[in-house]
PDB file of all heavy atoms in Angstrom:
ATOM      1  N   TYR D 224      84.675 -23.739 149.878  1.00 98.00           N
ATOM      2  CA  TYR D 224      84.315 -25.015 149.316  1.00 98.00           C
ATOM      3  C   TYR D 224      82.967 -24.943 148.711  1.00 98.00           C
ATOM      4  O   TYR D 224      81.990 -24.238 149.166  1.00 98.00           O
ATOM      5  CB  TYR D 224      84.377 -26.224 150.309  1.00 98.00           C
ATOM      6  CG  TYR D 224      85.755 -26.387 150.876  1.00 98.00           C
ATOM      7  CD1 TYR D 224      86.113 -25.902 152.029  1.00 98.00           C
ATOM      8  CD2 TYR D 224      86.545 -27.260 150.201  1.00 98.00           C
ATOM      9  CE1 TYR D 224      87.371 -26.120 152.605  1.00 98.00           C
ATOM     10  CE2 TYR D 224      87.945 -27.525 150.662  1.00 98.00           C
ATOM     11  CZ  TYR D 224      88.260 -26.934 151.943  1.00 98.00           C
ATOM     12  OH  TYR D 224      89.524 -27.234 152.397  1.00 98.00           O
ATOM     13  N   ALA D 225      82.675 -25.572 147.593  1.00 98.00           N
ATOM     14  CA  ALA D 225      81.405 -25.896 147.050  1.00 98.00           C
ATOM     15  C   ALA D 225      80.551 -26.711 148.183  1.00 98.00           C
ATOM     16  O   ALA D 225      81.154 -27.634 148.809  1.00 98.00           O
ATOM     17  CB  ALA D 225      81.367 -26.546 145.815  1.00 98.00           C
ATOM     18  N   ASP D 226      79.284 -26.448 148.293  1.00 98.00           N
ATOM     19  CA  ASP D 226      78.484 -27.066 149.254  1.00 98.00           C
ATOM     20  C   ASP D 226      78.541 -28.700 149.024  1.00 98.00           C
ATOM     21  O   ASP D 226      78.542 -29.399 149.992  1.00 98.00           O
ATOM     22  CB  ASP D 226      77.058 -26.671 149.163  1.00 98.00           C
ATOM     23  CG  ASP D 226      76.885 -25.194 149.712  1.00 98.00           C
ATOM     24  OD1 ASP D 226      77.726 -24.802 150.416  1.00 98.00           O
ATOM     25  OD2 ASP D 226      75.777 -24.641 149.358  1.00 98.00           O
ATOM     26  N   SER D 227      78.616 -29.044 147.782  1.00 97.00           N
ATOM     27  CA  SER D 227      78.597 -30.450 147.442  1.00 97.00           C
ATOM     28  C   SER D 227      79.881 -31.180 147.946  1.00 97.00           C
ATOM     29  O   SER D 227      79.791 -32.549 148.051  1.00 97.00           O
ATOM     30  CB  SER D 227      78.473 -30.756 145.854  1.00 97.00           C
ATOM     31  OG  SER D 227      79.537 -30.094 145.202  1.00 97.00           O
ATOM     32  N   VAL D 228      80.889 -30.507 148.269  1.00 98.00           N
ATOM     33  CA  VAL D 228      82.126 -31.246 148.695  1.00 98.00           C
ATOM     34  C   VAL D 228      82.454 -30.902 150.114  1.00 98.00           C
ATOM     35  O   VAL D 228      83.485 -31.461 150.619  1.00 98.00           O
ATOM     36  CB  VAL D 228      83.363 -30.894 147.758  1.00 98.00           C
ATOM     37  CG1 VAL D 228      82.920 -31.288 146.315  1.00 98.00           C
ATOM     38  CG2 VAL D 228      83.762 -29.478 147.842  1.00 98.00           C
ATOM     39  N   LYS D 229      81.817 -30.039 150.735  1.00 97.00           N
ATOM     40  CA  LYS D 229      82.221 -29.723 152.216  1.00 97.00           C
ATOM     41  C   LYS D 229      82.137 -30.989 153.018  1.00 97.00           C
ATOM     42  O   LYS D 229      81.330 -31.796 153.012  1.00 97.00           O
ATOM     43  CB  LYS D 229      81.127 -28.602 152.677  1.00 97.00           C
ATOM     44  CG  LYS D 229      81.273 -27.259 152.229  1.00 97.00           C
ATOM     45  CD  LYS D 229      80.303 -26.354 152.740  1.00 97.00           C
ATOM     46  CE  LYS D 229      80.520 -24.928 152.184  1.00 97.00           C
ATOM     47  NZ  LYS D 229      79.532 -23.928 152.750  1.00 97.00           N
ATOM     48  N   GLY D 230      83.163 -31.026 153.852  1.00 97.00           N
ATOM     49  CA  GLY D 230      83.347 -32.250 154.724  1.00 97.00           C
ATOM     50  C   GLY D 230      84.003 -33.315 154.152  1.00 97.00           C
ATOM     51  O   GLY D 230      84.353 -34.376 154.788  1.00 97.00           O
ATOM     52  N   ARG D 231      84.116 -33.368 152.813  1.00 98.00           N
ATOM     53  CA  ARG D 231      84.743 -34.520 152.059  1.00 98.00           C
ATOM     54  C   ARG D 231      86.047 -34.142 151.428  1.00 98.00           C
ATOM     55  O   ARG D 231      87.048 -34.937 151.402  1.00 98.00           O
ATOM     56  CB  ARG D 231      83.847 -35.112 150.962  1.00 98.00           C
ATOM     57  CG  ARG D 231      82.528 -35.541 151.543  1.00 98.00           C
ATOM     58  CD  ARG D 231      81.712 -36.274 150.470  1.00 98.00           C
ATOM     59  NE  ARG D 231      81.343 -35.339 149.356  1.00 98.00           N
ATOM     60  CZ  ARG D 231      81.792 -35.541 148.084  1.00 98.00           C
ATOM     61  NH1 ARG D 231      82.468 -36.698 147.852  1.00 98.00           N
ATOM     62  NH2 ARG D 231      81.361 -34.757 147.148  1.00 98.00           N
ATOM     63  N   PHE D 232      86.124 -32.913 150.940  1.00 98.00           N
ATOM     64  CA  PHE D 232      87.445 -32.455 150.274  1.00 98.00           C
ATOM     65  C   PHE D 232      88.143 -31.448 151.134  1.00 98.00           C
ATOM     66  O   PHE D 232      87.553 -30.639 151.842  1.00 98.00           O
ATOM     67  CB  PHE D 232      87.070 -31.686 148.929  1.00 98.00           C
ATOM     68  CG  PHE D 232      86.462 -32.653 147.862  1.00 98.00           C
ATOM     69  CD1 PHE D 232      86.152 -33.980 148.181  1.00 98.00           C
ATOM     70  CD2 PHE D 232      86.400 -32.135 146.593  1.00 98.00           C
ATOM     71  CE1 PHE D 232      85.677 -34.842 147.183  1.00 98.00           C
ATOM     72  CE2 PHE D 232      85.832 -33.003 145.579  1.00 98.00           C
ATOM     73  CZ  PHE D 232      85.514 -34.368 145.859  1.00 98.00           C
ATOM     74  N   THR D 233      89.540 -31.417 151.007  1.00 98.00           N
ATOM     75  CA  THR D 233      90.258 -30.490 151.682  1.00 98.00           C
ATOM     76  C   THR D 233      91.320 -29.859 150.716  1.00 98.00           C
ATOM     77  O   THR D 233      92.055 -30.599 150.159  1.00 98.00           O
ATOM     78  CB  THR D 233      91.062 -31.115 152.935  1.00 98.00           C
ATOM     79  OG1 THR D 233      90.059 -31.615 153.737  1.00 98.00           O
ATOM     80  CG2 THR D 233      91.836 -30.032 153.646  1.00 98.00           C
ATOM     81  N   ILE D 234      91.304 -28.537 150.679  1.00 98.00           N
ATOM     82  CA  ILE D 234      92.384 -27.941 149.826  1.00 98.00           C
ATOM     83  C   ILE D 234      93.474 -27.381 150.637  1.00 98.00           C
ATOM     84  O   ILE D 234      93.190 -26.863 151.813  1.00 98.00           O
ATOM     85  CB  ILE D 234      91.691 -26.809 149.018  1.00 98.00           C
ATOM     86  CG1 ILE D 234      92.669 -26.266 147.963  1.00 98.00           C
ATOM     87  CG2 ILE D 234      91.169 -25.654 149.871  1.00 98.00           C
ATOM     88  CD1 ILE D 234      92.056 -25.211 147.042  1.00 98.00           C
TER      89      ILE D 234
END
Side-chain angles (χ1 to χ4, degrees):
Y224 297 93
D226 289 341
S227 60
V228 306
K229 287 181 179 178
R231 299 188 298 119
F232 291 9
T233 302
I234 188 171

